[in-house]
Amino acid sequence: MINLILFGAPGSGKGTQSANLVQRYQLMHVSTGDILRAEIKAETELGLKAKTLIEAGHLVPDEVIIAMMEDLVASHPDVKGFVFDGFLRTVAQAQALDLLLKRHQTKVSAMLELSVPDEMVIERLLLRKEKEGRSDDNIETINHRLKVYRTQTAPVSEYYAQQGNLHLVDGTGRVEEISERLYQIIDKLA
Ligand code: AMP
């Protein structure tokens, strides 16, 4: 199996790049943000709980996310692997994922971190607000999400660096150029 973690700040291009990776390597795309937004739309109990947190730019509790991922991995035994997008927001989630994949006789193949300057991610998110109208893409929530990223999420990168499994990728430039940078790393893993 190839299990990739696309990592980076909100607006760093994880969703866009995931779509290309999924197509090229025939993997399953897992976006915890998309799953949560679907729960909100369906007005499930989980959705109702997540809504206020997401709209304020806070993280959804680790235990909720980890349980969601355990179900997801267990219910897709036949996939070639996963592209995790926006999953791994905390070191606790990273530790839980390592254990979960180990139970399924697999592991994280690589963490790919998209580096993009703050001014650029803010610009991209405000543009996305116009196109997609996401309620958490307003400037106040964006600033809070970036703060949460720096304090709670960025340490995950160090966690995989210590395992020798972190690949830093320049996330600026054209979408296809960034994809090429990712392909070069992933093709070497196989
Ligand atoms: P995203 O679509 O990845 O930008 O996620 C949107 C929002 O969903 C985040 O700001 C968090 O509130 C929540 N969220 C998504 N994924 C996670 C996760 N792995 N852990 C905690 N909260 C998450």
mmCIF file of all heavy atoms in Angstrom, residues 80-132:
data_model
loop_
_atom_site.group_PDB
_atom_site.id
_atom_site.type_symbol
_atom_site.label_atom_id
_atom_site.label_comp_id
_atom_site.label_asym_id
_atom_site.label_seq_id
_atom_site.Cartn_x
_atom_site.Cartn_y
_atom_site.Cartn_z
ATOM 1 N N LYS A 80 -5.664 0.571 -2.727
ATOM 2 C CA LYS A 80 -4.204 0.506 -2.933
ATOM 3 C C LYS A 80 -3.451 1.367 -1.926
ATOM 4 O O LYS A 80 -2.227 1.292 -1.833
ATOM 5 C CB LYS A 80 -3.864 1.030 -4.327
ATOM 6 C CG LYS A 80 -4.172 0.064 -5.435
ATOM 7 C CD LYS A 80 -3.535 0.579 -6.710
ATOM 8 C CE LYS A 80 -3.816 -0.315 -7.889
ATOM 9 N NZ LYS A 80 -3.345 0.287 -9.133
ATOM 10 N N GLY A 81 -4.192 2.230 -1.270
ATOM 11 C CA GLY A 81 -3.593 3.119 -0.285
ATOM 12 C C GLY A 81 -4.439 4.373 -0.153
ATOM 13 O O GLY A 81 -5.470 4.513 -0.822
ATOM 14 N N PHE A 82 -4.000 5.253 0.728
ATOM 15 C CA PHE A 82 -4.781 6.461 1.029
ATOM 16 C C PHE A 82 -3.943 7.717 0.833
ATOM 17 O O PHE A 82 -2.724 7.700 1.045
ATOM 18 C CB PHE A 82 -5.227 6.446 2.495
ATOM 19 C CG PHE A 82 -6.136 5.309 2.861
ATOM 20 C CD1 PHE A 82 -5.622 4.140 3.430
ATOM 21 C CD2 PHE A 82 -7.505 5.394 2.643
ATOM 22 C CE1 PHE A 82 -6.458 3.080 3.778
ATOM 23 C CE2 PHE A 82 -8.350 4.342 2.990
ATOM 24 C CZ PHE A 82 -7.826 3.182 3.559
ATOM 25 N N VAL A 83 -4.629 8.802 0.451
ATOM 26 C CA VAL A 83 -4.015 10.131 0.523
ATOM 27 C C VAL A 83 -4.763 10.858 1.635
ATOM 28 O O VAL A 83 -5.961 11.142 1.500
ATOM 29 C CB VAL A 83 -4.170 10.934 -0.794
ATOM 30 C CG1 VAL A 83 -3.604 12.337 -0.625
ATOM 31 C CG2 VAL A 83 -3.479 10.220 -1.947
ATOM 32 N N PHE A 84 -4.101 11.091 2.743
ATOM 33 C CA PHE A 84 -4.732 11.789 3.863
ATOM 34 C C PHE A 84 -4.510 13.286 3.704
ATOM 35 O O PHE A 84 -3.372 13.755 3.625
ATOM 36 C CB PHE A 84 -4.150 11.307 5.194
ATOM 37 C CG PHE A 84 -4.459 9.863 5.486
ATOM 38 C CD1 PHE A 84 -3.475 8.890 5.377
ATOM 39 C CD2 PHE A 84 -5.739 9.467 5.864
ATOM 40 C CE1 PHE A 84 -3.758 7.546 5.649
ATOM 41 C CE2 PHE A 84 -6.032 8.137 6.139
ATOM 42 C CZ PHE A 84 -5.032 7.170 6.025
ATOM 43 N N ASP A 85 -5.617 14.016 3.639
ATOM 44 C CA ASP A 85 -5.583 15.453 3.354
ATOM 45 C C ASP A 85 -6.265 16.172 4.516
ATOM 46 O O ASP A 85 -7.471 16.011 4.714
ATOM 47 C CB ASP A 85 -6.302 15.645 2.001
ATOM 48 C CG ASP A 85 -6.881 17.022 1.780
ATOM 49 O OD1 ASP A 85 -6.552 17.958 2.506
ATOM 50 O OD2 ASP A 85 -7.703 17.161 0.829
ATOM 51 N N GLY A 86 -5.486 16.888 5.298
ATOM 52 C CA GLY A 86 -6.068 17.603 6.443
ATOM 53 C C GLY A 86 -6.220 16.706 7.660
ATOM 54 O O GLY A 86 -6.668 17.145 8.713
ATOM 55 N N PHE A 87 -5.878 15.442 7.494
ATOM 56 C CA PHE A 87 -5.852 14.522 8.646
ATOM 57 C C PHE A 87 -4.396 14.368 9.006
ATOM 58 O O PHE A 87 -3.577 14.022 8.133
ATOM 59 C CB PHE A 87 -6.442 13.170 8.328
ATOM 60 C CG PHE A 87 -6.233 12.134 9.426
ATOM 61 C CD1 PHE A 87 -6.668 12.376 10.721
ATOM 62 C CD2 PHE A 87 -5.600 10.939 9.159
ATOM 63 C CE1 PHE A 87 -6.476 11.435 11.728
ATOM 64 C CE2 PHE A 87 -5.410 9.986 10.159
ATOM 65 C CZ PHE A 87 -5.847 10.235 11.443
ATOM 66 N N LEU A 88 -4.231 14.618 10.244
ATOM 67 C CA LEU A 88 -3.027 14.814 10.996
ATOM 68 C C LEU A 88 -2.934 16.303 11.258
ATOM 69 O O LEU A 88 -2.295 17.063 10.547
ATOM 70 C CB LEU A 88 -1.785 14.266 10.295
ATOM 71 C CG LEU A 88 -1.725 12.725 10.274
ATOM 72 C CD1 LEU A 88 -0.332 12.258 9.993
ATOM 73 C CD2 LEU A 88 -2.242 12.079 11.535
ATOM 74 N N ARG A 89 -3.706 16.673 12.253
ATOM 75 C CA ARG A 89 -3.692 18.056 12.717
ATOM 76 C C ARG A 89 -2.974 18.151 14.060
ATOM 77 O O ARG A 89 -2.698 19.249 14.515
ATOM 78 C CB ARG A 89 -5.107 18.596 12.909
ATOM 79 C CG ARG A 89 -5.960 18.794 11.648
ATOM 80 C CD ARG A 89 -5.389 19.825 10.741
ATOM 81 N NE ARG A 89 -6.243 20.888 10.286
ATOM 82 C CZ ARG A 89 -7.040 20.849 9.214
ATOM 83 N NH1 ARG A 89 -7.158 19.764 8.500
ATOM 84 N NH2 ARG A 89 -7.703 21.919 8.838
ATOM 85 N N THR A 90 -2.714 16.992 14.703
ATOM 86 C CA THR A 90 -2.041 16.999 16.012
ATOM 87 C C THR A 90 -1.105 15.787 16.081
ATOM 88 O O THR A 90 -1.284 14.816 15.331
ATOM 89 C CB THR A 90 -3.062 16.860 17.170
ATOM 90 O OG1 THR A 90 -3.702 15.584 17.051
ATOM 91 C CG2 THR A 90 -4.116 17.950 17.185
ATOM 92 N N VAL A 91 -0.146 15.855 17.007
ATOM 93 C CA VAL A 91 0.770 14.724 17.184
ATOM 94 C C VAL A 91 -0.016 13.495 17.680
ATOM 95 O O VAL A 91 0.275 12.369 17.285
ATOM 96 C CB VAL A 91 1.927 15.102 18.140
ATOM 97 C CG1 VAL A 91 2.765 13.885 18.498
ATOM 98 C CG2 VAL A 91 2.811 16.176 17.503
ATOM 99 N N ALA A 92 -1.045 13.714 18.495
ATOM 100 C CA ALA A 92 -1.858 12.577 18.974
ATOM 101 C C ALA A 92 -2.502 11.847 17.790
ATOM 102 O O ALA A 92 -2.568 10.611 17.760
ATOM 103 C CB ALA A 92 -2.927 13.063 19.942
ATOM 104 N N GLN A 93 -2.957 12.593 16.789
ATOM 105 C CA GLN A 93 -3.546 11.956 15.599
ATOM 106 C C GLN A 93 -2.477 11.171 14.841
ATOM 107 O O GLN A 93 -2.732 10.076 14.321
ATOM 108 C CB GLN A 93 -4.176 13.003 14.677
ATOM 109 C CG GLN A 93 -5.421 13.649 15.253
ATOM 110 C CD GLN A 93 -6.069 14.682 14.322
ATOM 111 O OE1 GLN A 93 -5.789 14.731 13.125
ATOM 112 N NE2 GLN A 93 -6.932 15.513 14.873
ATOM 113 N N ALA A 94 -1.261 11.722 14.771
ATOM 114 C CA ALA A 94 -0.170 11.047 14.047
ATOM 115 C C ALA A 94 0.165 9.724 14.735
ATOM 116 O O ALA A 94 0.319 8.688 14.081
ATOM 117 C CB ALA A 94 1.058 11.951 13.992
ATOM 118 N N GLN A 95 0.233 9.751 16.069
ATOM 119 C CA GLN A 95 0.547 8.518 16.805
ATOM 120 C C GLN A 95 -0.563 7.489 16.599
ATOM 121 O O GLN A 95 -0.295 6.304 16.392
ATOM 122 C CB GLN A 95 0.716 8.835 18.295
ATOM 123 C CG GLN A 95 1.995 9.629 18.553
ATOM 124 C CD GLN A 95 2.041 10.254 19.948
ATOM 125 O OE1 GLN A 95 0.995 10.505 20.557
ATOM 126 N NE2 GLN A 95 3.235 10.515 20.446
ATOM 127 N N ALA A 96 -1.816 7.967 16.621
ATOM 128 C CA ALA A 96 -2.949 7.051 16.434
ATOM 129 C C ALA A 96 -2.933 6.470 15.016
ATOM 130 O O ALA A 96 -3.210 5.276 14.824
ATOM 131 C CB ALA A 96 -4.267 7.783 16.687
ATOM 132 N N LEU A 97 -2.572 7.279 14.027
ATOM 133 C CA LEU A 97 -2.532 6.777 12.645
ATOM 134 C C LEU A 97 -1.445 5.719 12.495
ATOM 135 O O LEU A 97 -1.662 4.676 11.862
ATOM 136 C CB LEU A 97 -2.289 7.925 11.650
ATOM 137 C CG LEU A 97 -2.185 7.473 10.186
ATOM 138 C CD1 LEU A 97 -3.530 6.928 9.679
ATOM 139 C CD2 LEU A 97 -1.717 8.601 9.271
ATOM 140 N N ASP A 98 -0.290 5.966 13.077
ATOM 141 C CA ASP A 98 0.798 4.984 12.996
ATOM 142 C C ASP A 98 0.341 3.636 13.559
ATOM 143 O O ASP A 98 0.561 2.589 12.953
ATOM 144 C CB ASP A 98 2.037 5.484 13.761
ATOM 145 C CG ASP A 98 2.855 6.488 12.942
ATOM 146 O OD1 ASP A 98 2.540 6.679 11.749
ATOM 147 O OD2 ASP A 98 3.807 7.075 13.490
ATOM 148 N N LEU A 99 -0.335 3.681 14.712
ATOM 149 C CA LEU A 99 -0.813 2.436 15.337
ATOM 150 C C LEU A 99 -1.890 1.773 14.489
ATOM 151 O O LEU A 99 -1.891 0.550 14.290
ATOM 152 C CB LEU A 99 -1.387 2.728 16.732
ATOM 153 C CG LEU A 99 -0.363 3.048 17.820
ATOM 154 C CD1 LEU A 99 -1.070 3.409 19.122
ATOM 155 C CD2 LEU A 99 0.548 1.835 18.049
ATOM 156 N N LEU A 100 -2.787 2.605 13.988
ATOM 157 C CA LEU A 100 -3.899 2.088 13.174
ATOM 158 C C LEU A 100 -3.371 1.382 11.923
ATOM 159 O O LEU A 100 -3.788 0.265 11.597
ATOM 160 C CB LEU A 100 -4.815 3.269 12.804
ATOM 161 C CG LEU A 100 -5.861 3.065 11.727
ATOM 162 C CD1 LEU A 100 -6.887 2.027 12.158
ATOM 163 C CD2 LEU A 100 -6.592 4.385 11.435
ATOM 164 N N LEU A 101 -2.435 2.023 11.220
ATOM 165 C CA LEU A 101 -1.902 1.423 9.988
ATOM 166 C C LEU A 101 -1.124 0.149 10.320
ATOM 167 O O LEU A 101 -1.177 -0.825 9.574
ATOM 168 C CB LEU A 101 -1.048 2.430 9.221
ATOM 169 C CG LEU A 101 -1.822 3.628 8.638
ATOM 170 C CD1 LEU A 101 -0.885 4.565 7.895
ATOM 171 C CD2 LEU A 101 -2.956 3.182 7.705
ATOM 172 N N LYS A 102 -0.433 0.163 11.455
ATOM 173 C CA LYS A 102 0.325 -1.026 11.872
ATOM 174 C C LYS A 102 -0.628 -2.215 12.083
ATOM 175 O O LYS A 102 -0.330 -3.336 11.673
ATOM 176 C CB LYS A 102 1.067 -0.708 13.170
ATOM 177 C CG LYS A 102 2.244 -1.597 13.425
ATOM 178 C CD LYS A 102 3.076 -1.079 14.573
ATOM 179 C CE LYS A 102 4.163 -2.087 14.893
ATOM 180 N NZ LYS A 102 4.871 -1.727 16.104
ATOM 181 N N ARG A 103 -1.783 -1.919 12.692
ATOM 182 C CA ARG A 103 -2.783 -2.984 12.895
ATOM 183 C C ARG A 103 -3.258 -3.566 11.567
ATOM 184 O O ARG A 103 -3.711 -4.694 11.490
ATOM 185 C CB ARG A 103 -3.993 -2.450 13.675
ATOM 186 C CG ARG A 103 -3.752 -2.306 15.164
ATOM 187 C CD ARG A 103 -5.063 -2.362 15.954
ATOM 188 N NE ARG A 103 -6.031 -1.339 15.584
ATOM 189 C CZ ARG A 103 -5.995 -0.081 16.023
ATOM 190 N NH1 ARG A 103 -5.056 0.305 16.841
ATOM 191 N NH2 ARG A 103 -6.917 0.788 15.649
ATOM 192 N N HIS A 104 -3.193 -2.735 10.511
ATOM 193 C CA HIS A 104 -3.606 -3.203 9.176
ATOM 194 C C HIS A 104 -2.385 -3.621 8.342
ATOM 195 O O HIS A 104 -2.457 -3.619 7.114
ATOM 196 C CB HIS A 104 -4.416 -2.113 8.465
ATOM 197 C CG HIS A 104 -5.769 -1.886 9.072
ATOM 198 N ND1 HIS A 104 -6.899 -2.560 8.660
ATOM 199 C CD2 HIS A 104 -6.175 -1.103 10.102
ATOM 200 C CE1 HIS A 104 -7.939 -2.177 9.395
ATOM 201 N NE2 HIS A 104 -7.532 -1.293 10.273
ATOM 202 N N GLN A 105 -1.294 -3.927 9.011
ATOM 203 C CA GLN A 105 -0.043 -4.386 8.367
ATOM 204 C C GLN A 105 0.469 -3.422 7.301
ATOM 205 O O GLN A 105 0.958 -3.820 6.251
ATOM 206 C CB GLN A 105 -0.217 -5.783 7.722
ATOM 207 C CG GLN A 105 -0.276 -6.946 8.687
ATOM 208 C CD GLN A 105 -1.664 -7.157 9.241
ATOM 209 O OE1 GLN A 105 -2.624 -7.119 8.482
ATOM 210 N NE2 GLN A 105 -1.771 -7.346 10.531
ATOM 211 N N THR A 106 0.308 -2.113 7.554
ATOM 212 C CA THR A 106 0.859 -1.140 6.620
ATOM 213 C C THR A 106 1.411 0.045 7.413
ATOM 214 O O THR A 106 1.448 -0.001 8.629
ATOM 215 C CB THR A 106 -0.195 -0.750 5.547
ATOM 216 O OG1 THR A 106 0.387 0.146 4.627
ATOM 217 C CG2 THR A 106 -1.444 -0.137 6.140
ATOM 218 N N LYS A 107 1.861 1.091 6.680
ATOM 219 C CA LYS A 107 2.430 2.245 7.398
ATOM 220 C C LYS A 107 2.349 3.506 6.529
ATOM 221 O O LYS A 107 1.977 3.422 5.353
ATOM 222 C CB LYS A 107 3.880 1.955 7.777
ATOM 223 C CG LYS A 107 4.806 1.697 6.602
ATOM 224 C CD LYS A 107 6.195 1.362 7.136
ATOM 225 C CE LYS A 107 7.167 0.907 6.082
ATOM 226 N NZ LYS A 107 7.437 1.779 4.979
ATOM 227 N N VAL A 108 2.741 4.624 7.118
ATOM 228 C CA VAL A 108 2.810 5.876 6.355
ATOM 229 C C VAL A 108 4.006 5.768 5.411
ATOM 230 O O VAL A 108 5.124 5.498 5.849
ATOM 231 C CB VAL A 108 3.005 7.078 7.314
ATOM 232 C CG1 VAL A 108 3.315 8.356 6.533
ATOM 233 C CG2 VAL A 108 1.778 7.271 8.203
ATOM 234 N N SER A 109 3.773 5.958 4.111
ATOM 235 C CA SER A 109 4.882 5.862 3.147
ATOM 236 C C SER A 109 5.694 7.146 3.148
ATOM 237 O O SER A 109 6.914 7.113 3.056
ATOM 238 C CB SER A 109 4.350 5.610 1.742
ATOM 239 O OG SER A 109 3.432 4.548 1.758
ATOM 240 N N ALA A 110 4.988 8.291 3.224
ATOM 241 C CA ALA A 110 5.686 9.574 3.244
ATOM 242 C C ALA A 110 4.761 10.685 3.698
ATOM 243 O O ALA A 110 3.552 10.644 3.437
ATOM 244 C CB ALA A 110 6.194 9.927 1.844
ATOM 245 N N MET A 111 5.358 11.650 4.382
ATOM 246 C CA MET A 111 4.624 12.882 4.642
ATOM 247 C C MET A 111 5.167 13.941 3.697
ATOM 248 O O MET A 111 6.378 14.165 3.638
ATOM 249 C CB MET A 111 4.793 13.355 6.072
ATOM 250 C CG MET A 111 4.222 14.757 6.219
ATOM 251 S SD MET A 111 4.444 15.408 7.843
ATOM 252 C CE MET A 111 2.828 15.211 8.483
ATOM 253 N N LEU A 112 4.267 14.557 2.943
ATOM 254 C CA LEU A 112 4.651 15.568 1.962
ATOM 255 C C LEU A 112 4.148 16.917 2.470
ATOM 256 O O LEU A 112 2.933 17.117 2.588
ATOM 257 C CB LEU A 112 4.004 15.239 0.609
ATOM 258 C CG LEU A 112 4.289 13.816 0.108
ATOM 259 C CD1 LEU A 112 3.214 13.339 -0.852
ATOM 260 C CD2 LEU A 112 5.661 13.761 -0.538
ATOM 261 N N GLU A 113 5.069 17.777 2.812
ATOM 262 C CA GLU A 113 4.660 19.073 3.388
ATOM 263 C C GLU A 113 4.784 20.175 2.349
ATOM 264 O O GLU A 113 5.870 20.436 1.834
ATOM 265 C CB GLU A 113 5.535 19.401 4.604
ATOM 266 C CG GLU A 113 5.201 20.764 5.177
ATOM 267 C CD GLU A 113 5.882 21.062 6.508
ATOM 268 O OE1 GLU A 113 6.492 20.156 7.101
ATOM 269 O OE2 GLU A 113 5.800 22.225 6.943
ATOM 270 N N LEU A 114 3.657 20.826 2.056
ATOM 271 C CA LEU A 114 3.647 21.927 1.087
ATOM 272 C C LEU A 114 3.985 23.224 1.813
ATOM 273 O O LEU A 114 3.244 23.641 2.718
ATOM 274 C CB LEU A 114 2.263 22.045 0.444
ATOM 275 C CG LEU A 114 1.805 20.846 -0.402
ATOM 276 C CD1 LEU A 114 0.323 20.959 -0.750
ATOM 277 C CD2 LEU A 114 2.643 20.746 -1.679
ATOM 278 N N SER A 115 5.100 23.852 1.450
ATOM 279 C CA SER A 115 5.457 25.126 2.095
ATOM 280 C C SER A 115 4.991 26.291 1.235
ATOM 281 O O SER A 115 5.349 26.374 0.060
ATOM 282 C CB SER A 115 6.972 25.287 2.260
ATOM 283 O OG SER A 115 7.574 24.071 2.488
ATOM 284 N N VAL A 116 4.197 27.144 1.861
ATOM 285 C CA VAL A 116 3.649 28.321 1.181
ATOM 286 C C VAL A 116 3.665 29.480 2.181
ATOM 287 O O VAL A 116 3.251 29.290 3.331
ATOM 288 C CB VAL A 116 2.185 28.054 0.715
ATOM 289 C CG1 VAL A 116 1.597 29.258 0.026
ATOM 290 C CG2 VAL A 116 2.108 26.834 -0.197
ATOM 291 N N PRO A 117 4.155 30.667 1.783
ATOM 292 C CA PRO A 117 4.178 31.798 2.729
ATOM 293 C C PRO A 117 2.765 32.190 3.195
ATOM 294 O O PRO A 117 1.807 32.052 2.420
ATOM 295 C CB PRO A 117 4.788 32.947 1.913
ATOM 296 C CG PRO A 117 5.343 32.338 0.680
ATOM 297 C CD PRO A 117 4.695 31.010 0.473
ATOM 298 N N ASP A 118 2.664 32.685 4.430
ATOM 299 C CA ASP A 118 1.372 33.058 5.017
ATOM 300 C C ASP A 118 0.550 34.008 4.129
ATOM 301 O O ASP A 118 -0.648 33.814 3.951
ATOM 302 C CB ASP A 118 1.591 33.754 6.379
ATOM 303 C CG ASP A 118 1.653 32.741 7.516
ATOM 304 O OD1 ASP A 118 1.667 31.520 7.226
ATOM 305 O OD2 ASP A 118 1.699 33.176 8.687
ATOM 306 N N GLU A 119 1.225 35.059 3.561
ATOM 307 C CA GLU A 119 0.468 36.031 2.752
ATOM 308 C C GLU A 119 -0.225 35.319 1.604
ATOM 309 O O GLU A 119 -1.352 35.633 1.222
ATOM 310 C CB GLU A 119 1.330 37.130 2.105
ATOM 311 C CG GLU A 119 2.462 37.715 2.892
ATOM 312 C CD GLU A 119 3.677 36.796 2.965
ATOM 313 O OE1 GLU A 119 4.461 36.723 1.996
ATOM 314 O OE2 GLU A 119 3.818 36.162 4.036
ATOM 315 N N MET A 120 0.463 34.314 1.035
ATOM 316 C CA MET A 120 -0.101 33.616 -0.120
ATOM 317 C C MET A 120 -1.275 32.721 0.279
ATOM 318 O O MET A 120 -2.272 32.646 -0.431
ATOM 319 C CB MET A 120 1.001 32.806 -0.807
ATOM 320 C CG MET A 120 0.670 32.492 -2.242
ATOM 321 S SD MET A 120 1.986 31.568 -3.029
ATOM 322 C CE MET A 120 3.154 32.830 -3.375
ATOM 323 N N VAL A 121 -1.179 32.054 1.443
ATOM 324 C CA VAL A 121 -2.306 31.192 1.835
ATOM 325 C C VAL A 121 -3.532 32.059 2.150
ATOM 326 O O VAL A 121 -4.653 31.697 1.795
ATOM 327 C CB VAL A 121 -2.007 30.199 2.995
ATOM 328 C CG1 VAL A 121 -0.907 29.243 2.658
ATOM 329 C CG2 VAL A 121 -1.757 30.857 4.309
ATOM 330 N N ILE A 122 -3.312 33.217 2.747
ATOM 331 C CA ILE A 122 -4.456 34.085 3.077
ATOM 332 C C ILE A 122 -5.132 34.538 1.772
ATOM 333 O O ILE A 122 -6.358 34.484 1.638
ATOM 334 C CB ILE A 122 -4.002 35.292 3.933
ATOM 335 C CG1 ILE A 122 -3.540 34.784 5.314
ATOM 336 C CG2 ILE A 122 -5.119 36.327 4.082
ATOM 337 C CD1 ILE A 122 -2.915 35.826 6.221
ATOM 338 N N GLU A 123 -4.300 34.903 0.803
ATOM 339 C CA GLU A 123 -4.835 35.336 -0.503
ATOM 340 C C GLU A 123 -5.654 34.203 -1.150
ATOM 341 O O GLU A 123 -6.770 34.407 -1.626
ATOM 342 C CB GLU A 123 -3.627 35.667 -1.379
ATOM 343 C CG GLU A 123 -3.875 36.622 -2.520
ATOM 344 C CD GLU A 123 -2.546 36.876 -3.236
ATOM 345 O OE1 GLU A 123 -1.629 37.475 -2.608
ATOM 346 O OE2 GLU A 123 -2.406 36.437 -4.374
ATOM 347 N N ARG A 124 -5.089 32.978 -1.119
ATOM 348 C CA ARG A 124 -5.778 31.829 -1.734
ATOM 349 C C ARG A 124 -7.097 31.526 -1.026
ATOM 350 O O ARG A 124 -8.099 31.214 -1.661
ATOM 351 C CB ARG A 124 -4.902 30.570 -1.646
ATOM 352 C CG ARG A 124 -3.735 30.562 -2.612
ATOM 353 C CD ARG A 124 -3.047 29.216 -2.492
ATOM 354 N NE ARG A 124 -1.802 29.135 -3.210
ATOM 355 C CZ ARG A 124 -0.983 28.078 -3.143
ATOM 356 N NH1 ARG A 124 -1.275 27.055 -2.390
ATOM 357 N NH2 ARG A 124 0.133 28.055 -3.837
ATOM 358 N N LEU A 125 -7.100 31.619 0.320
ATOM 359 C CA LEU A 125 -8.321 31.288 1.067
ATOM 360 C C LEU A 125 -9.421 32.314 0.822
ATOM 361 O O LEU A 125 -10.591 31.963 0.717
ATOM 362 C CB LEU A 125 -8.019 31.176 2.562
ATOM 363 C CG LEU A 125 -7.159 29.972 2.974
ATOM 364 C CD1 LEU A 125 -6.763 30.059 4.436
ATOM 365 C CD2 LEU A 125 -7.890 28.655 2.716
ATOM 366 N N LEU A 126 -9.021 33.591 0.692
ATOM 367 C CA LEU A 126 -10.031 34.624 0.443
ATOM 368 C C LEU A 126 -10.623 34.459 -0.964
ATOM 369 O O LEU A 126 -11.814 34.664 -1.178
ATOM 370 C CB LEU A 126 -9.441 36.025 0.642
ATOM 371 C CG LEU A 126 -9.093 36.346 2.109
ATOM 372 C CD1 LEU A 126 -8.380 37.680 2.235
ATOM 373 C CD2 LEU A 126 -10.353 36.337 3.002
ATOM 374 N N LEU A 127 -9.782 34.003 -1.895
ATOM 375 C CA LEU A 127 -10.259 33.734 -3.251
ATOM 376 C C LEU A 127 -11.217 32.540 -3.231
ATOM 377 O O LEU A 127 -12.260 32.539 -3.889
ATOM 378 C CB LEU A 127 -9.040 33.416 -4.127
ATOM 379 C CG LEU A 127 -9.214 33.562 -5.623
ATOM 380 C CD1 LEU A 127 -9.315 35.047 -5.979
ATOM 381 C CD2 LEU A 127 -7.988 32.970 -6.349
ATOM 382 N N ARG A 128 -10.864 31.502 -2.433
ATOM 383 C CA ARG A 128 -11.727 30.316 -2.321
ATOM 384 C C ARG A 128 -13.074 30.698 -1.714
ATOM 385 O O ARG A 128 -14.113 30.168 -2.085
ATOM 386 C CB ARG A 128 -11.030 29.255 -1.456
ATOM 387 C CG ARG A 128 -11.817 27.951 -1.368
ATOM 388 C CD ARG A 128 -11.024 26.861 -0.704
ATOM 389 N NE ARG A 128 -10.926 27.038 0.734
ATOM 390 C CZ ARG A 128 -10.214 26.244 1.540
ATOM 391 N NH1 ARG A 128 -9.533 25.233 1.037
ATOM 392 N NH2 ARG A 128 -10.177 26.446 2.832
ATOM 393 N N LYS A 129 -13.047 31.646 -0.767
ATOM 394 C CA LYS A 129 -14.301 32.113 -0.137
ATOM 395 C C LYS A 129 -15.258 32.599 -1.228
ATOM 396 O O LYS A 129 -16.452 32.292 -1.223
ATOM 397 C CB LYS A 129 -13.984 33.243 0.843
ATOM 398 C CG LYS A 129 -15.188 34.009 1.334
ATOM 399 C CD LYS A 129 -15.511 33.577 2.723
ATOM 400 C CE LYS A 129 -16.790 34.155 3.234
ATOM 401 N NZ LYS A 129 -17.538 33.173 3.996
ATOM 402 N N GLU A 130 -14.695 33.379 -2.192
ATOM 403 C CA GLU A 130 -15.541 33.915 -3.271
ATOM 404 C C GLU A 130 -16.101 32.801 -4.140
ATOM 405 O O GLU A 130 -17.245 32.844 -4.560
ATOM 406 C CB GLU A 130 -14.733 34.870 -4.150
ATOM 407 C CG GLU A 130 -14.544 36.226 -3.497
ATOM 408 C CD GLU A 130 -13.599 37.120 -4.281
ATOM 409 O OE1 GLU A 130 -13.497 36.943 -5.518
ATOM 410 O OE2 GLU A 130 -12.959 37.973 -3.654
ATOM 411 N N LYS A 131 -15.253 31.781 -4.396
ATOM 412 C CA LYS A 131 -15.680 30.700 -5.298
ATOM 413 C C LYS A 131 -16.579 29.684 -4.611
ATOM 414 O O LYS A 131 -17.571 29.238 -5.156
ATOM 415 C CB LYS A 131 -14.440 29.946 -5.821
ATOM 416 C CG LYS A 131 -13.706 30.683 -6.907
ATOM 417 C CD LYS A 131 -12.756 29.702 -7.605
ATOM 418 C CE LYS A 131 -11.650 30.425 -8.332
ATOM 419 N NZ LYS A 131 -10.398 29.680 -8.343
ATOM 420 N N GLU A 132 -16.193 29.256 -3.397
ATOM 421 C CA GLU A 132 -16.892 28.138 -2.762
ATOM 422 C C GLU A 132 -17.764 28.564 -1.587
ATOM 423 O O GLU A 132 -18.584 27.794 -1.121
ATOM 424 C CB GLU A 132 -15.873 27.085 -2.264
ATOM 425 C CG GLU A 132 -15.087 26.463 -3.397
ATOM 426 C CD GLU A 132 -14.006 25.502 -2.895
ATOM 427 O OE1 GLU A 132 -14.128 24.984 -1.769
ATOM 428 O OE2 GLU A 132 -13.034 25.298 -3.640
#
